[in-house]
Amino acid sequence: MDQKGYRRGSFQSSTSDEDMLEIAGASLDFSMADDDPPLDREMGGFTSYNGGGMNGTSKMMDFLEEPLPGVGTYEDFNTIDWVREKSRDRDRHREITSRSKESTWALIHSVSDAFSGWLLMLFIGLLAGSLAGLIDISAHWMTDLKEGVCLAGFWFNHEHCCWKSNTTFTDRDKCPEWKSWSQLIIGHGEGAFAYILNYFMYVIWALLFSLLAVLLVKGFAPYACGSGIPEIKTILSGFIIRGYLGKWTLIIKTITLVLAVSSGLSLGKEGPLVHVACCCGNILCHLFTKYRKNEAKRREVLSAAAAAGVSVAFGAPIGGVLFSLEEVSYYFPLKTLWRSFFAALVAAFTLRSINPFGNSRLVLFYVEFHMPWHLLELVPFILLGIFGGLWGAFFIRSNIAWCRRRKTTKLGKYPVLEVLVVTAITAILAFPNEYTRMSTSELISELFNDCGILDSSKLCEYVNDFNSTKGDDLPDRAAGPGVYTAMWQLALALIMKVFITIFTFGMKVPSGLFIPSMAVGAIAGRLLGVAMEQLAFYHHDWVIFSGWCSQGADCITPGLYAMVGAAACLGGVTRMTVSLVVIMFELTGGLEYIVPLMAAAMTSKWVADAIGREGIYDAHIRLNGYPFLEAKEEFSHKTLAMDVMRPRRNDPPLTVITQDSMTVEDVETIINETTYSGYPVVVSRESQRLVGFVLRRDLIISIENARKKQDGIVSTSIIYFTDHSPPLPPSSPSMLKLRSILDLSPFTVTDQTPMEIVVDIFRKLGLRQCLVTHNGKLLGIITKKDVLKHIAQLANQDPDSILFN
């Protein structure tokens, strides 16, 4: 085929998300040409599964006796056809079941096919847990490297370095094996020069780590930046972004996540761990044919992988399953629920076996409280919920405004400079304050901690009266100077975290939002908890305290307030509810604190929803223009299919292909002159009676193969989609039968169908287009992109922002 504009071979893409990695090197703006035609790129890759092979005679269709490579697969940045994929899987399953009765080998194959899903979950859990352990250990070591080095072995972090030391418990952080940079360089750690030297080394290490992270992301895997959850939600809804879950993204994200967390930036590793786990799931899918060749089945695996990711991020297997169900999954059948549970279990078990923190826990900030809470404490818990909702709404609006500015100004052209500037500001502000200097996970651990007798933290410097101590429980005590100093430092840390996180989330490094949000809430909660504790201590005779808080009793647990505040802020930003409460109670191991957590989570969601309906992930999906049809929102407008379909008035007529009267040249002309991704097939241009729907991609591949492998196919050969060839003179060239690539049952609605029904059909069946008819005659087409544009228009948003604008 030597026509102008015809790109031979450009459509031979594989179904593997590991292939086409050159896409990942492109700009992440994804602007698409030709936004207006009746059939747009959003529909590319659609084909119907009609069962069986090609229907032609052996004389005419030798080259199609085997399925053509590429037919029925999808191009990049297109949505899969859920209906076709499920149909293919049912047909495959029926065939295996029927064959299993024929021989022992077929029966073994049937059993192995049924078991392959569980085996795949085992592999995903093992790989995700191992990578999470590696990331935890590496990040812990590199974070401590900013402050000093271990002489016993440079690979030990501060805590591990001092394990074998003979120092007393109170001096456990000052063991001789661990040297700060000033001690190593100038021989002592006291004085102004030593402080300045440590300050300088801290900033230099932070800049070095962040520079390495952004250069690796920019150079090798642009898709490794951000948290990845908005894109995973979009991919699970059926969209294809090749390379996003590939091996390079996995390798670079794992390395750069360690670097980004170690640099001290206000970000976490928990969100990106979901992306890492989904990369593991996608890569391991290629070991099993039924998942490699079916995009819908692969998305079931990715849902389970997301659950495993949260399981290792928080040490919360059940919370991980609920997170996948509530927050990221689009299609979540019961079978996927069981497999998600198994994958999360294996991942958590693997991480527990590695024991990255040396405390037999899956997270650094695991904590146990023993004191019950009182009903009156629900008031401050609800106040924390209100704070979390306000913070969440403020953060989403500010971060989206900043990210939009990054996309639309020159700022976006200098990702390396942006990362270095934010890192420098963060490091310079963080070092003087011990609560911002430590890693965010350690900060949360400190804030959650319930003060004991041996605690040496400033937060636990109370005025001790050991005469009133009963057992291990310490009574409420007057705050000492250390507590007041800690309160001021925490207040400054809160202000810094609130603002610096806005500019950090969305930079070109892996960045999660769970930990910074929890840190903001934990600081606010601890401040409120200490205030309540001192109020109860000094005014225990007040009416609100008199019934339950006598003098010398341990009434208020400030760490509990920190935990509730963390849940409230995380809920305000992500709008999670059920999964959030379960994750938090798995973190604390305390069932009795579920009610305070529920109260705070619901309050934060209500307050945040009152200000803005979208969570941070949905807001980023809309900002990036991903074609994501939100299943949770109701469509309440009274419009009809004819109001949304294309072509509209004054538009050119719909481009169609006739079933048995167009030549190869005619079809190739249509392909070259239009950018549409599919074409309705009609009986004739006059009747406009609908026969089916055929894909541009499948047409190109089939015609190319016919020209190469079938004799007599020339530009004047007739293409027909019917069962029997049309009557032609004997001297005419060979005809080309393409009935097998025709979707004989495209979804159709009438022009009077209400749009709320059309939107429901698109949501629940995962369609990408449906044809509009009137009395059986083809009128137009509605694509998923048209539906999204229509919803945006009715919500007074820019309809042209949909799909990678």
Side-chain angles (χ1 to χ4, degrees):
M1 242 165 142
D2 296 313
Q3 290 138 298
K4 182 180 176 184
Y6 201 95
R7 295 181 295 165
R8 183 186 301 277
S10 61
F11 297 90
Q12 303 292 331
S13 61
S14 141
T15 56
S16 165
D17 276 0
E18 292 184 65
D19 296 336
M20 291 188 67
L21 284 172
E22 65 273 13
I23 296 292
S27 162
L28 295 182
D29 190 23
F30 306 134
S31 52
M32 298 200 90
D34 202 283
D35 206 26
D36 297 319
L39 290 170
D40 51 64
R41 290 181 182 275
E42 210 287 312
M43 302 167 353
F46 180 97
T47 184
S48 175
Y49 182 73
N50 295 314
M54 298 299 180
N55 298 332
T57 63
S58 57
K59 174 179 179 285
M60 302 178 71
M61 299 297 284
D62 304 333
F63 70 103
L64 286 182
E65 280 182 0
E66 293 295 322
L68 284 177
V71 169
T73 59
Y74 303 96
E75 291 181 27
D76 206 7
F77 306 127
N78 282 276
T79 307
I80 70 167
D81 178 15
W82 288 92
V83 176
R84 183 186 73 93
E85 295 294 316
K86 296 304 291 181
S87 172
R88 285 177 63 185
D89 185 59
R90 279 194 297 270
D91 285 352
R92 185 195 64 80
H93 189 261
R94 272 196 293 265
E95 186 180 351
I96 288 173
T97 306
S98 64
R99 283 183 180 174
S100 66
K101 300 168 186 175
E102 296 172 4
S103 68
T104 308
W105 176 248
L107 181 64
I108 293 170
H109 178 249
S110 173
V111 171
S112 68
D113 181 76
F115 185 67
S116 62
W118 295 102
L119 189 62
L120 180 56
M121 293 304 119
L122 177 68
F123 291 159
I124 290 170
L126 290 169
L127 185 55
S130 303
L131 286 174
L134 177 67
I135 289 168
D136 285 337
I137 292 167
S138 306
H140 204 168
W141 169 65
M142 290 175 68
T143 300
D144 288 348
L145 195 62
K146 298 204 299 289
E147 297 185 36
V149 69
C150 184
L151 297 181
F154 73 91
W155 55 88
F156 289 124
N157 62 37
H158 193 168
E159 185 182 357
H160 292 173
C161 186
C162 295
W163 270 356
K164 295 179 181 177
S165 176
N166 294 323
T167 51
T168 60
F169 185 80
T170 51
D171 293 330
R172 62 190 180 276
D173 290 335
K174 299 174 183 174
C175 63
E177 289 86 356
W178 180 265
K179 298 289 184 186
S180 68
W181 290 111
S182 62
Q183 288 173 323
L184 210 61
I185 295 169
I186 60 174
H188 62 86
E190 305 297 326
F193 183 67
Y195 180 84
I196 291 167
L197 184 59
N198 284 331
Y199 201 153
F200 177 75
M201 291 301 294
Y202 181 91
V203 175
I204 290 296
W205 277 113
L207 287 170
L208 178 64
F209 292 156
S210 62
L211 177 65
L212 277 172
V214 70
L215 289 177
L216 284 170
V217 167
K218 189 171 180 241
F220 295 97
Y223 286 162
C225 66
S227 80
I229 293 179
E231 287 76 13
I232 285 165
K233 281 187 75 168
T234 310
I235 288 169
L236 288 178
S237 75
F239 198 59
I240 286 180
I241 309 177
R242 294 205 187 281
Y244 198 85
L245 300 175
K247 57 180 177 292
W248 274 109
T249 305
L250 174 64
I251 293 165
I252 298 301
K253 186 121 189 177
T254 304
I255 296 167
T256 54
L257 182 54
V258 173
L259 291 165
V261 170
S262 305
S263 69
L265 285 165
S266 182
L267 47 82
K269 62 181 181 298
E270 280 65 19
L273 274 174
V274 176
H275 187 185
V276 167
C278 285
C279 287
C280 296
N282 180 65
I283 291 166
L284 291 170
C285 273
H286 294 94
L287 300 175
F288 302 92
T289 310
K290 83 171 177 183
Y291 295 106
R292 184 174 69 245
K293 293 189 174 180
N294 192 294
E295 293 288 350
K297 295 293 288 179
R298 189 184 304 192
R299 275 150 182 77
E300 292 179 22
V301 172
L302 296 180
S303 290
V310 175
S311 172
V312 292
F314 289 105
I318 302 170
V321 175
L322 291 174
F323 173 83
S324 180
L325 174 60
E326 181 183 1
E327 191 61 29
V328 296
S329 293
Y330 193 82
Y331 174 66
F332 203 83
L334 195 58
K335 181 170 56 178
T336 304
L337 179 72
W338 299 332
R339 288 180 176 169
S340 300
F341 186 77
F342 180 63
L345 167 72
V346 174
F349 174 77
T350 306
L351 187 62
R352 171 66 183 79
S353 304
I354 295 170
N355 194 13
F357 302 110
N359 60 359
S360 301
R361 304 294 184 190
L362 300 183
V363 284
L364 192 59
F365 40 86
Y366 184 90
V367 65
E368 286 182 344
F369 301 125
H370 303 290
M371 291 306 298
W373 58 278
H374 193 269
L375 191 62
L376 287 170
E377 288 185 278
L378 275 179
V379 176
F381 293 153
I382 287 171
L383 285 176
L384 284 172
I386 293 169
F387 170 77
L390 292 172
W391 143 253
F394 164 74
F395 174 81
I396 290 167
R397 289 199 174 186
S398 307
N399 180 253
I400 292 298
W402 179 252
C403 290
R404 186 173 286 116
R405 184 176 178 81
R406 184 188 287 128
K407 283 171 104 59
T408 55
T409 62
K410 288 185 177 179
L411 181 69
K413 296 179 181 176
Y414 306 103
V416 178
L417 182 63
E418 182 191 8
V419 169
L420 289 177
V421 168
V422 173
T423 306
I425 293 169
T426 305
I428 290 165
L429 293 176
F431 187 83
N433 186 341
E434 66 176 281
Y435 292 110
T436 47
R437 189 191 315 164
M438 66 175 68
S439 76
T440 317
S441 294
E442 287 177 358
L443 171 62
I444 294 171
S445 178
E446 183 112 339
L447 294 168
F448 281 8
N449 185 41
D450 191 16
C451 287
I453 297 171
L454 297 173
D455 277 312
S456 58
S457 165
K458 274 188 193 173
L459 281 169
C460 297
E461 282 189 22
Y462 289 90
V463 177
N464 285 312
D465 178 12
F466 288 108
N467 294 328
S468 61
T469 302
K470 299 171 186 174
D472 290 332
D473 290 331
L474 292 174
D476 286 346
R477 299 160 288 166
V483 174
Y484 288 115
T485 305
M487 291 300 102
W488 277 109
Q489 290 180 327
L490 283 174
L492 291 172
L494 177 64
I495 294 167
M496 178 191 159
K497 292 279 183 190
V498 161
F499 289 102
I500 205 75
T501 308
I502 291 167
F503 302 102
T504 306
F505 187 69
M507 291 196 308
K508 294 294 181 259
V509 291
S511 53
L513 196 55
F514 283 41
I515 289 296
S517 301
M518 288 175 68
V520 167
I523 294 170
R526 188 75 186 209
L527 291 172
L528 182 61
V530 172
M532 285 290 293
E533 183 187 47
Q534 295 306 299
L535 199 64
F537 177 77
Y538 286 110
H539 304 283
H540 56 85
D541 53 346
W542 283 9
V543 176
I544 56 171
F545 297 121
S546 59
W548 58 285
C549 192
S550 58
Q551 189 171 12
D554 184 11
C555 311
I556 307 287
T557 307
L560 173 61
Y561 284 72
M563 187 182 78
V564 171
C569 281
L570 186 52
V573 171
T574 62
R575 308 299 160 84
M576 289 157 42
T577 50
V578 181
S579 54
L580 172 63
V581 171
V582 174
I583 286 170
M584 294 305 293
F585 106 72
E586 285 189 90
L587 277 178
T588 57
L591 283 169
E592 59 189 300
Y593 303 114
I594 283 186
V595 173
L597 289 169
M598 288 172 73
M602 279 314 305
T603 307
S604 72
K605 179 172 170 59
W606 285 335
V607 171
D609 280 350
I611 300 169
R613 296 285 297 172
E614 289 180 319
I616 186 67
Y617 302 129
D618 294 327
H620 272 271
I621 284 171
R622 189 162 59 83
L623 176 71
N624 292 323
Y626 297 133
F628 182 76
L629 197 53
E630 180 58 71
K632 299 170 191 170
E633 294 178 7
E634 291 293 324
F635 184 88
S636 55
H637 302 278
K638 293 185 176 179
T639 50
L640 300 175
M642 63 185 297
D643 302 324
V644 182
M645 75 173 192
R646 290 183 291 167
R648 301 195 177 100
R649 288 176 189 172
N650 304 322
D651 280 356
L654 194 65
T655 303
V656 296
I657 293 174
T658 56
Q659 67 174 357
D660 57 7
S661 60
M662 294 181 76
T663 64
V664 169
E665 186 176 21
D666 295 335
V667 173
E668 287 175 345
T669 302
I670 288 175
I671 289 170
N672 289 325
E673 291 180 354
T674 61
T675 55
Y676 315 151
S677 292
Y679 307 93
V681 177
V682 294
V683 173
S684 66
R685 292 186 187 278
E686 295 74 31
S687 74
Q688 290 291 307
R689 296 279 177 185
L690 181 65
V691 176
F693 190 84
V694 69
L695 267 198
R696 170 196 184 90
R697 174 184 173 82
D698 292 350
L699 277 173
I700 289 171
I701 292 171
S702 301
I703 292 171
E704 275 194 344
N705 273 274
R707 280 185 177 276
K708 288 176 186 174
K709 298 181 180 178
Q710 185 180 339
D711 293 334
I713 296 296
V714 292
S715 295
T716 53
S717 297
I718 294 289
I719 290 178
Y720 68 100
F721 296 92
T722 52
D723 272 329
H724 306 289
S725 58
L728 288 174
S731 58
S732 58
S734 299
M735 290 182 290
L736 178 57
K737 181 177 182 179
L738 295 181
R739 185 174 177 82
S740 62
I741 65 169
L742 179 67
D743 178 10
L744 291 166
S745 55
F747 275 88
T748 58
V749 294
T750 68
D751 54 340
Q752 296 300 310
T753 306
M755 270 308 291
E756 59 185 323
I757 293 176
V758 175
V759 171
D760 259 359
I761 291 171
F762 271 88
R763 279 178 182 154
K764 291 172 180 174
L765 293 178
L767 298 186
R768 289 169 313 147
Q769 81 278 315
C770 69
L771 301 171
V772 183
T773 60
H774 178 76
N775 293 339
K777 289 188 177 182
L778 179 66
L779 281 188
I781 189 164
I782 299 175
T783 69
K784 187 177 180 182
K785 183 177 172 187
D786 293 328
V787 173
L788 289 162
K789 279 189 168 188
H790 184 61
I791 292 172
Q793 211 163 10
L794 294 174
N796 296 319
Q797 296 166 357
D798 177 17
D800 292 325
S801 66
I802 301 299
L803 196 63
F804 303 114
N805 184 21

